[in-house]
Amino acid sequence: MNNIDLNDIRLFVTVVQAGSLTKAANLLNMPKSYLSRHLTRLEQDLGTTLMDRSRQGILLNELGERFYLKAQDMLQTVQTALDSVRSNLEAPHGLLKMSVSTEVGRGFLMFHLAEYMRRYPDVSLEIQIDNHKINLIREGVDIALRLGDPNNNNVVARKLFDIELGLFASKAYLAKAGIPQTPHELHGHDLLYKYDGPDWHFSYKQRSVHIEGKNKLYSNDFNLIGHMVGEDMGIAMLPCFNNMIRPDWVRLLPEWKIAKVPLYAVYYKNRGSVLTVRSMVEFLLQKNPALQS
């Protein structure tokens, strides 16, 4: 056991995160047979099996689960030690791949990218803007910006800030349909929903109301929903980003509180000490809209 290769442990963690030998081999650009040999050697050195392998993927046994969690922490410690030496010798450089939801990309990130790029000229950015859920390792993404708690024990989720939500409609729509005075009156209106977005839950003093009204439009994109508000199609709950809310729209029920939605920077534990990842996360932590003048 004293001769266990640290690289074998790193390959084991990558295979678990990728979900299968095939996907890990593609990600690492190495033969599947090479990975299999090193995993077998690791298990032989440990004196026990860690996983079952099949065409559908890999399945950790109880010892494998425990070893995986400890291995992640160990690799993080090793990476931190390496980076502590390199930090005085290197500046952030190389490719940084990010995945960002459309509303966060267009409502927040795009306004700060130029500053980041001027500050770190040796970093190249590849930014994927869409709303589908991703596997960071499988898709080679360093950082994902996502609304709501990822609820994934394998990743680090750094909270950047809370996003305020509001209820909006155009003047033309309200002139036609009337102005709701309470959340209950929303039932008589055309509602534009983000189907993977926040609940329509309102609170005022000691009262609490949950609304599931007439669904005029379902979408997973706040930008599309906002556009339809501008087309006088109904009422929508939207993030209060400056470039998303038109000044001629009416904010409805402002006295009723809507829970804010947290925005997180998400990355794998063993990537948290990488200079490029750390530089972007630290940069974004300074860009809370509430702190901007």
Side-chain angles (χ1 to χ4, degrees), residues 186-199:
L186 293 172
H187 287 293
H189 285 268
D190 293 334
L191 305 183
L192 313 176
Y193 275 98
K194 189 173 191 289
Y195 58 74
D196 57 352
D199 291 336

Side-chain angles (χ1 to χ4, degrees), residues 49-51 59-69:
T49 59
L50 300 172
M51 64 177 69
L59 180 64
L60 294 178
N61 57 32
E62 183 178 354
L63 283 176
E65 290 278 3
R66 288 161 55 187
F67 183 76
Y68 169 67
L69 294 175

Side-chain angles (χ1 to χ4, degrees), residues 258-279:
I258 302 171
K260 295 181 179 180
V261 177
L263 175 64
Y264 287 89
V266 181
Y267 52 90
Y268 268 103
K269 293 178 180 178
N270 57 2
R271 299 290 292 162
S273 59
V274 176
L275 286 174
T276 50
V277 172
R278 192 167 70 236
S279 70

Side-chain angles (χ1 to χ4, degrees), residues 24-234:
N26 291 336
L27 176 65
L28 297 171
N29 194 27
M30 59 177 55
K32 179 179 174 181
S33 58
Y34 176 88
L35 274 179
S36 183
R37 285 197 304 273
H38 280 261
L39 292 180
T40 298
R41 185 174 73 178
L42 175 63
E43 290 178 323
Q44 290 173 344
D45 290 341
L46 289 171
T48 184
T49 59
L50 300 172
M51 64 177 69
D52 295 322
R53 310 177 204 175
S54 69
R55 292 183 179 180
Q56 286 72 37
I58 59 100
L59 180 64
L60 294 178
N61 57 32
E62 183 178 354
L63 283 176
E65 290 278 3
R66 288 161 55 187
F67 183 76
Y68 169 67
L69 294 175
K70 296 294 185 181
Q72 275 195 314
D73 292 339
M74 184 196 68
L75 290 174
Q76 174 67 41
T77 300
V78 171
Q79 189 65 53
T80 300
L82 293 173
D83 285 340
S84 68
V85 175
R86 294 170 179 163
S87 60
N88 293 324
L89 304 175
E90 297 182 355
H93 70 281
L95 177 64
L96 180 68
K97 297 181 68 174
M98 299 181 66
S99 173
V100 187
S101 62
T102 57
E103 56 271 7
V104 173
R106 297 168 188 169
F108 165 68
L109 182 64
M110 64 183 290
F111 299 103
H112 303 291
L113 281 180
E115 180 184 350
Y116 176 87
M117 295 171 74
R118 284 190 289 266
R119 186 180 301 183
Y120 301 107
D122 295 328
V123 176
S124 300
L125 296 175
E126 180 179 319
I127 299 178
Q128 169 186 318
I129 297 182
D130 59 42
N131 290 326
H132 84 281
K133 293 183 179 180
I134 66 165
N135 180 298
L136 297 177
I137 290 293
R138 204 168 300 171
E139 302 192 31
V141 170
D142 298 298
I143 304 173
L145 299 188
R146 287 294 182 263
L147 299 175
D149 190 341
N151 193 26
N152 184 336
N153 293 331
N154 292 326
V155 300
V156 175
R158 293 284 301 275
K159 182 178 176 180
L160 301 179
F161 53 85
D162 289 317
I163 297 175
E164 181 182 0
L165 298 170
L167 210 60
F168 296 92
S170 68
K171 293 178 181 179
Y173 171 81
L174 295 174
K176 174 184 64 176
I179 300 176
Q181 301 300 319
T182 69
H184 290 291
E185 293 183 20
L186 293 172
H187 287 293
H189 285 268
D190 293 334
L191 305 183
L192 313 176
Y193 275 98
K194 189 173 191 289
Y195 58 74
D196 57 352
D199 291 336
W200 286 44
H201 192 88
F202 306 87
S203 59
Y204 177 67
K205 295 183 178 179
Q206 303 301 317
R207 300 172 62 191
S208 182
V209 178
H210 182 78
I211 296 297
E212 293 183 4
K214 177 183 177 183
N215 305 327
K216 186 68 173 180
L217 172 68
Y218 256 163
S219 174
N220 70 335
D221 185 3
F222 272 130
N223 295 282
L224 172 62
I225 293 171
H227 177 79
M228 300 311 290
V229 170
E231 293 291 336
D232 313 322
M233 290 293 103

